[in-house]
Amino acid sequence: MKKTSPTLGKVHSRDGTPIAYEQRGEGPPLILVGGALCTGATDAPLAELLAPHFTVVTYDRRGRGASGAGGRYTVEREVEDLAAVIEESGTDVCVHGTSSGGGLALRAAAAGLPITQLSVYEPPYSPAARVDQKPAPYVALLDELLARGERGEALAVFLTEAGMPSETIANMRRAPLWSALEAVAHTLPHDHAVMGNGTVPTALLKGVGIPVMVVDGGASPPWMREAAALVSRALPRGRHRTLTGQTHEVAPHVLAPVLEDFFTT
């Protein structure tokens, strides 16, 4: 498939922070929202596959890539960032969010942003989390490391918590990818803020009236699949889809036709 040449642009969020985006393809607008450690470039392979059917917009979330950081971070400001990208994209906008980007997209839909349809892939809520549960100890350690400017150590802590073997992390440290991940590691607390204390936000989800497809991978950990099922059941117009053999690192060529089918029906 011939690669498309993206159109680059910037919009300004409500607080004036510039948000950088790339646009590909032709057709109804579809915005992709990345998760932790992701920039708009992370979603480029998926965007390329969807570009023959949609005008696909990828963007750098606040504090990442070519976007500004603004002042003190709040989830509400990130929702305003997405609102600005939606306004720039036109009408009848669809949105797909991956991992914590899915959590952000769900919050945006609950806040009333003009989203026609929404898809999310494995928003990392924890079925075992309690409403009164305090943040895990590693979150405080992450904050301490970032406050000291130790992004590499913070990144290693995050990846360890995510279940990555120490040998794999050691190999990653020697790879070119590591510096790119370090460059956005300071935004990891943003994703924790989006996901709250990890509980499935049932009350918030009940306020999302648009059609939402919640997707998980058949080879993902059971808790992640259970979370996806709980999210889909809490949504008034939710549906649940499992992609056989996929993990949290879903293959774009597997996900793309599922999104195409959902957003065109």
Side-chain angles (χ1 to χ4, degrees):
M1 184 180 67
K2 184 179 179 180
K3 294 187 70 173
T4 58
S5 297
T7 300
L8 310 181
K10 284 188 178 182
V11 295
H12 286 84
S13 193
R14 185 176 181 180
D15 70 347
T17 301
I19 303 298
Y21 70 87
E22 293 190 356
Q23 180 177 297
R24 295 172 173 82
E26 297 180 356
L30 169 59
I31 298 172
L32 305 183
V33 185
L37 300 174
C38 294
T39 64
T42 310
D43 278 327
L46 178 59
E48 288 286 344
L49 293 171
L50 293 167
H53 313 284
F54 304 94
T55 299
V56 188
V57 178
T58 58
Y59 74 101
D60 293 337
R61 285 174 54 188
R62 176 176 292 249
R64 310 179 190 192
S67 290
R72 184 180 63 86
Y73 176 84
T74 67
V75 175
E76 290 73 21
R77 281 181 170 167
E78 274 235 81
V79 170
E80 291 169 357
D81 299 344
L82 180 52
V85 178
I86 290 173
E87 184 176 2
E88 181 74 6
S89 301
T91 58
D92 298 324
V93 175
C94 296
V95 173
H96 170 75
T98 299
S99 192
S100 56
L104 177 59
L106 287 166
R107 286 183 175 274
L113 268 59
I115 300 170
T116 301
Q117 289 177 279
L118 173 62
S119 170
V120 295
Y121 187 83
E122 294 191 345
Y125 297 109
S126 171
R130 305 183 310 275
V131 174
D132 61 347
Q133 185 168 301
K134 295 181 180 179
Y138 103 94
V139 175
L141 174 58
L142 199 68
D143 290 340
E144 290 174 12
L145 290 170
L146 291 172
R148 296 200 298 263
E150 298 180 31
R151 292 190 182 187
E153 293 307 311
L155 179 56
V157 167
F158 172 79
L159 294 174
T160 300
E161 182 68 18
M164 186 172 289
S166 57
E167 182 178 349
T168 302
I169 296 173
N171 290 334
M172 285 180 65
R173 283 182 179 271
R174 295 189 289 269
L177 173 64
W178 188 260
S179 61
L181 295 176
E182 272 194 0
V184 293
H186 64 289
T187 64
L188 286 170
H190 301 180
D191 294 280
H192 284 298
V194 167
M195 301 310 300
N197 71 351
T199 57
V200 176
T202 304
L204 179 139
L205 296 176
K206 289 187 181 301
V208 178
I210 61 173
V212 182
M213 177 174 65
V214 185
V215 189
D216 63 29
S220 288
W223 69 265
M224 198 162 274
R225 298 188 59 198
E226 183 183 351
L230 289 172
V231 169
S232 67
R233 288 200 294 268
L235 291 158
R237 301 176 66 184
R239 67 173 73 173
H240 185 199
R241 177 78 183 265
T242 296
L243 303 184
T244 303
Q246 293 300 301
T247 65
H248 196 59
E249 301 297 326
V250 61
H253 74 274
V254 175
L255 180 59
V258 175
L259 297 183
E260 180 191 345
D261 180 66
F262 175 65
F263 289 128
T264 54
T265 56

